Amino acid sequence: MGLQLGVPDSIVQAIRLPEERMMQGLLEELAITLYAQGLLSFGKARELAGMGKYEFGRLVGERGIPRHYGREELKDDLVYARSE
């Protein structure tokens, strides 16, 4: 199941993003906001943004958003570290 959001044309026109970057830019903004508010985990937020772990982490850092680091992230990092 997916969710579609309706954004009025007047709002779309007011957003200062190139048309070809609009969808990705809005998904990134939604993902970063939901992550910052603790409504999405890092992994799910980066999935929504369509970004890799490093790329989304960089975006979080650039925005000055504190990283939420819990058991799930630790588990992912340990799996990654052991795979090399």
Side-chain angles (χ1 to χ4, degrees):
M1 177 183 120
L3 173 70
Q4 287 187 312
L5 298 174
V7 179
D9 287 338
S10 62
I11 302 298
V12 171
Q13 293 168 0
I15 297 172
R16 295 184 175 133
L17 282 173
E19 186 176 334
E20 64 275 1
R21 178 106 171 81
M22 183 73 65
M23 182 66 75
Q24 180 61 36
L26 291 176
L27 287 173
E28 287 173 14
E29 293 302 320
L30 179 59
I32 203 79
T33 299
L34 292 174
Y35 175 73
Q37 293 179 5
L39 298 173
L40 272 184
S41 69
F42 184 87
K44 288 299 179 186
R46 73 178 184 85
E47 183 180 334
L48 176 61
M51 299 174 122
K53 193 174 194 176
Y54 174 78
E55 187 180 18
F56 190 71
R58 193 180 81 232
L59 180 60
V60 167
E62 287 171 356
R63 299 288 181 91
I65 297 167
R67 184 80 190 266
H68 310 231
Y69 195 82
R71 289 180 184 254
E72 192 63 34
E73 288 82 11
L74 176 59
K75 183 176 135 189
D76 289 347
D77 286 347
L78 290 173
V79 168
Y80 178 77
R82 290 179 181 139
S83 68
E84 289 192 53

